[in-house]
Amino acid sequence: MQIYDELVARGLIAQVTDEDEIKKLINEGKATFYIGFDPTADSLHVGHFMALCLMKRLQMAGNKPVVLLGGGTGYIGDPTGRSDLRQMLTPETIEHNCECFKKQMEKFIDFSEGGAIAVNNADWLLKLNYIDVLREVGTCFSVNNMLRAECYKQRMEKGLSFLEFNYMIMQSYDFYHLFKEYGCNMQFGGDDQWSNMLGGTELIRKKLGKDAYAMTITLLLNSEGKKMGKTSNGAVWLDPEKTSPFEFFQYWRNVGDQDVLKCIRMLTFLPLEQIDEMDSWEGSKLNDAKEILAYELTKLVHGEEEAEKAKTASHALFAGGGDDSNMPTTKFTDDMLNDGVINIMDAMMTCKLAASKSEARRLITQGGVSVNDEKVTAIDFQITKEMLTEGIKIKKGKKTFHKAIFE
C-alpha cells in the first residue's frame, strides 16, 4: 500500500484540493510540506500528536517536512475554536516556547542534513511593513469571504477583535513565503483550518500567477486532536516534567472503548494488517487494545525503557501490588499543612486530582475517592503529617492513582 492510501486507510484525510496531484506527489516522495505550531505553551501536548505522527510517516516515505514555529502568529493568536481572546504572550515567552517545541519535535522528526527543516515565522512576519501588507496582501482577500469562514463566524456574536481578524492573512502569508523561499508545495492542517489554508493557496495564485504550484490538504487533526489530551485538570503534555510517562501511559490506557481502535489506527505505527485483526475485538480484549495503544505511544514519546516501567507499574497497581515507584507523586511540606493536617479536598487539589473544591466534594460524595484503598466517605476527612510521612496512595475513580508524601 502506498503512503497516501495508507493515510486514507488510517482515517487521517478529511478533504483535499487536488487529490490526484497530491497523491502523486506524496507517493513519489516529492512533497515539501509544512505544518504550523503556535507556541501557546512551553510544551507540546497530545493535541499536537497527530500532526507529529503524520510528519514522521511522510518523512519516512521520502517527503520533506517543514516545521513552522509560530513565533510571529503567536503575537496574534488563532481565534479558531476560541470563545474569547487568547492570552497575550511576551516576546520572551514566545521565543522560549518555540525552543521547547523544537527540542521535543526532534524525537519525532529527523532534522539532520537533508532532512526536515524548522523555521520561525517571526523571521518574516515581524519585518513586514503595515502599509505594504495592506497594499500587497490585503487586496487579495475579500472581507465578505473571510466573515463567512467558520473560524470567524463562531466569534461574531461575542466579538472578534481586529487583531484576530488578521490571523488568516498572516497564516496565508506563511504559505506564500514558504513556497517562494523553500519550494514548499503543500500545507497540512486540521479541518478547522480549511479557510486559512485556502487563503494561502489563493494568495500564491494571485501573486505569482495561475501556474504557481501549491496544494492544500487538511487532516482530521484539530477536530480529533481537541478530543484528545484534555482532562478535567488540563492538558496531557509531552514534556515528562508536566505529564510523567506513567500518567501519559494511563491516559491512553483509559481511553473510551469507542476510541481505542481509532487511536491505534491514527497514531501508532503498527501495520494496518495487525490493526485490522483487532477490529473484531470486544469486551476484555479491548483492554488489551488499550494497553497496546498506551505502550506504543509512551514508547514513541518517552522511549522503550519508560514505556516498560509504566506498563509494569500499571500492572502492579491494578493487580493490587505494592510497586508505586512510577506513580505520580506530590510532596507536601509543613507550610502546606494546617496544624499538621490537610483536608482531603485540599489534598486532592494540591495533587491536581480535582480542579476545585466543588469537584473534589462531588467525587467524594459519589464514592469515587479512596486513601490507601479505603473509601473516603466524609468531606471533612483529614490527612495527617504522620500519614504523609509514611506515604499514602489516593485513588480517584477506578483508574487514577496518585502518591502523596511528606518531605
Side-chain angles (χ1 to χ4, degrees):
M1 182 183 294
Q2 292 187 298
I3 183 62
Y4 184 84
D5 295 324
E6 180 179 345
L7 297 181
V8 173
R10 289 183 180 275
L12 293 170
I13 303 297
Q15 55 185 330
V16 300
T17 52
D18 191 330
E19 185 170 45
D20 290 339
E21 289 294 336
I22 289 172
K23 184 175 182 179
K24 183 173 183 292
L25 275 176
I26 289 176
N27 288 342
E28 293 178 358
K30 295 180 179 178
T32 298
F33 68 95
Y34 94 89
I35 300 179
F37 300 83
D38 273 355
T40 54
D42 60 0
S43 172
L44 297 163
H45 56 71
V46 168
H48 297 111
F49 207 72
M50 195 178 296
L52 296 171
C53 292
L54 171 77
M55 298 185 96
K56 184 178 179 70
R57 292 185 206 280
L58 290 174
Q59 186 174 41
M60 291 168 62
N63 299 284
K64 187 180 183 69
V66 177
V67 172
L68 177 65
L69 299 169
T73 43
Y75 278 71
I76 299 174
D78 186 358
T80 305
R82 300 284 299 187
S83 60
D84 53 9
L85 182 69
R86 289 181 183 272
Q87 179 184 356
M88 300 288 281
L89 302 177
T90 66
E92 294 77 17
T93 298
I94 291 172
E95 183 177 355
H96 171 73
N97 292 352
C98 285
E99 289 298 319
C100 293
F101 276 24
K102 175 64 163 50
K103 289 179 182 178
Q104 290 181 334
M105 288 173 180
E106 289 173 351
K107 294 183 178 180
F108 298 87
I109 313 300
D110 178 12
F111 289 99
S112 61
E113 186 175 353
I117 60 172
V119 296
N120 189 328
N121 61 18
D123 293 340
W124 57 86
L125 292 182
L126 299 187
K127 297 175 182 177
L128 292 175
N129 178 280
Y130 184 62
I131 298 299
D132 289 342
V133 172
L134 291 177
R135 288 176 60 87
E136 301 300 321
V137 182
T139 55
C140 298
F141 287 83
S142 163
V143 171
N144 292 348
N145 289 339
M146 291 175 71
L147 291 176
R148 283 194 288 268
E150 199 61 39
C151 60
Y152 292 144
K153 282 169 59 178
Q154 61 189 17
R155 286 290 302 280
M156 293 304 291
E157 290 186 9
K158 292 190 175 181
L160 175 70
S161 70
F162 183 70
L163 173 71
E164 296 169 291
F165 188 61
N166 283 271
Y167 190 89
M168 180 186 292
I169 295 176
M170 296 296 97
Q171 182 173 332
S172 299
Y173 190 88
D174 283 340
F175 193 23
Y176 171 67
H177 178 87
L178 294 175
F179 178 84
K180 289 196 305 177
E181 300 298 325
Y182 299 96
C184 184
N185 54 19
M186 197 174 295
Q187 59 180 329
F188 288 73
D191 55 356
D192 58 358
Q193 295 288 315
W194 185 243
S195 298
N196 293 354
M197 296 168 69
L198 289 179
T201 301
E202 288 303 307
L203 180 59
I204 290 172
R205 289 174 178 164
K206 288 178 179 179
K207 296 297 294 181
L208 302 178
K210 294 182 179 179
D211 293 333
Y213 194 67
M215 294 292 171
T216 58
I217 181 171
T218 64
L219 311 177
L220 290 173
L221 178 61
N222 289 330
S223 61
E224 291 297 322
K226 285 174 181 175
K227 298 176 185 177
M228 304 175 189
K230 292 291 185 181
T231 70
S232 61
N233 300 315
V236 176
W237 304 100
L238 304 193
D239 183 346
E241 296 299 318
K242 289 177 172 287
T243 299
S244 72
F246 176 81
E247 290 173 300
F248 189 84
F249 183 98
Q250 287 300 113
Y251 171 76
W252 294 109
R253 176 61 181 78
N254 296 333
V255 299
D257 290 353
Q258 71 279 6
D259 293 327
V260 58
L261 289 177
K262 178 170 64 177
C263 289
I264 289 176
R265 198 174 295 276
M266 288 181 167
L267 301 176
T268 76
F269 286 79
L270 295 176
L272 282 170
E273 296 79 9
Q274 181 180 346
I275 300 172
D276 289 340
E277 293 176 1
M278 300 180 190
D279 280 338
S280 61
W281 289 9
E282 298 178 349
S284 61
K285 290 289 287 182
L286 286 177
N287 288 328
D288 295 338
K290 292 176 185 181
E291 185 165 289
I292 290 171
L293 172 67
Y295 181 84
E296 290 296 323
L297 297 190
T298 305
K299 181 174 69 173
L300 186 61
V301 174
H302 299 294
E304 187 170 3
E305 182 179 351
E306 292 296 336
E308 288 289 349
K309 288 180 182 178
K311 182 178 178 180
T312 299
S314 180
H315 285 181
L317 285 171
F318 286 103
D323 182 9
D324 60 3
S325 58
N326 292 292
M327 190 186 300
T329 301
T330 296
K331 296 178 181 179
F332 286 75
T333 56
D334 274 323
D335 60 349
M336 299 164 71
L337 307 179
N338 184 14
D339 292 330
V341 299
I342 184 170
N343 178 269
I344 181 61
M345 292 188 292
D346 292 322
M348 289 177 65
M349 292 173 61
T350 302
C351 294
K352 297 183 179 179
L353 292 171
S356 63
K357 277 194 174 182
S358 60
E359 181 185 353
R361 182 182 294 107
R362 176 180 57 79
L363 289 167
I364 294 167
T365 56
Q366 292 177 351
V369 178
S370 64
V371 172
N372 289 340
D373 298 321
E374 292 289 333
K375 186 173 292 187
V376 176
T377 58
I379 59 173
D380 59 356
F381 179 84
Q382 303 292 321
I383 297 172
T384 66
K385 180 177 179 179
E386 289 72 21
M387 294 168 65
L388 290 169
T389 301
E390 294 181 6
I392 63 171
K393 179 176 69 178
I394 304 175
K395 181 180 177 184
K396 182 180 78 170
K398 296 181 179 180
K399 302 175 181 178
T400 302
F401 299 85
H402 200 96
K403 183 165 62 175
I405 60 174
F406 183 82
E407 184 180 65

